[in-house]
Amino acid sequence: MVRLFNYPKRKLRKLVKEGEYKEAVEFGKNLENKNPNDADLLFIMGSIFYILKDAKSALNYFDRVLEIYKFDSETLLLKANVHVFLKEYETAINCCKKILDIEPENMEAYQILEQLKNI
């Protein structure tokens, strides 16, 4: 019988879902040491730091994902939101433009651009 936690990223997602962020960060960093180029793991870690409003750490992880998958619109969207949070509006706009190059119908990117017009 396969144990539920034979899949480490599943355990990491479960910790996040349960709000166990400190434990998730520790577990995720351990996984990262073993798999430093796992884009899915890096995205999850960036998302954890995004939730925790640790912009610098979130951007570090999102940039690493984008080194692997240059055209990942989900990562670009979260990165744009972090830059808005940091009031780095021009960088956020550039992220949104990249998203729209990839997915011309991406409503979330349009919403961020619209939001930034009013600032």
Side-chain angles (χ1 to χ4, degrees):
M1 185 166 134
V2 176
R3 293 178 45 131
L4 177 62
F5 296 123
N6 281 349
Y7 303 102
K9 287 186 275 188
R10 185 179 296 172
K11 179 179 179 180
L12 182 59
R13 286 186 189 101
K14 184 177 187 295
L15 290 170
V16 172
K17 184 177 180 181
E18 293 174 349
E20 301 292 336
Y21 301 117
K22 182 180 178 186
E23 201 175 321
V25 168
E26 290 173 15
F27 184 69
K29 286 188 182 268
N30 184 29
L31 292 177
E32 181 185 354
N33 287 334
K34 297 173 187 171
N35 305 297
N37 296 316
D38 182 333
D40 188 40
L41 173 61
L42 297 174
F43 180 82
I44 295 167
M45 292 297 291
S47 299
I48 293 168
F49 287 108
Y50 176 82
I51 291 166
L52 296 173
K53 294 186 171 102
D54 181 343
K56 183 179 177 182
S57 296
L59 285 176
N60 175 47
Y61 281 102
F62 294 149
D63 286 338
R64 289 173 59 197
V65 171
L66 292 169
E67 286 175 16
I68 298 166
Y69 295 118
K70 190 172 165 179
F71 303 110
D72 185 325
S73 59
E74 287 183 65
T75 303
L76 284 166
L77 188 62
L78 288 176
K79 183 176 176 177
N81 279 302
V82 172
H83 286 296
V84 169
F85 174 78
L86 294 172
K87 296 181 175 35
E88 297 172 350
Y89 304 127
E90 198 60 41
T91 307
I93 289 168
N94 290 335
C95 288
C96 289
K97 287 179 180 178
K98 287 180 187 176
I99 294 167
L100 294 173
D101 286 342
I102 301 163
E103 295 178 12
E105 303 294 320
N106 189 303
M107 293 308 297
E108 292 172 281
Y110 280 117
Q111 289 172 345
I112 292 171
L113 289 173
E114 191 63 33
Q115 172 190 354
L116 293 176
K117 282 183 186 178
N118 298 323
I119 292 179

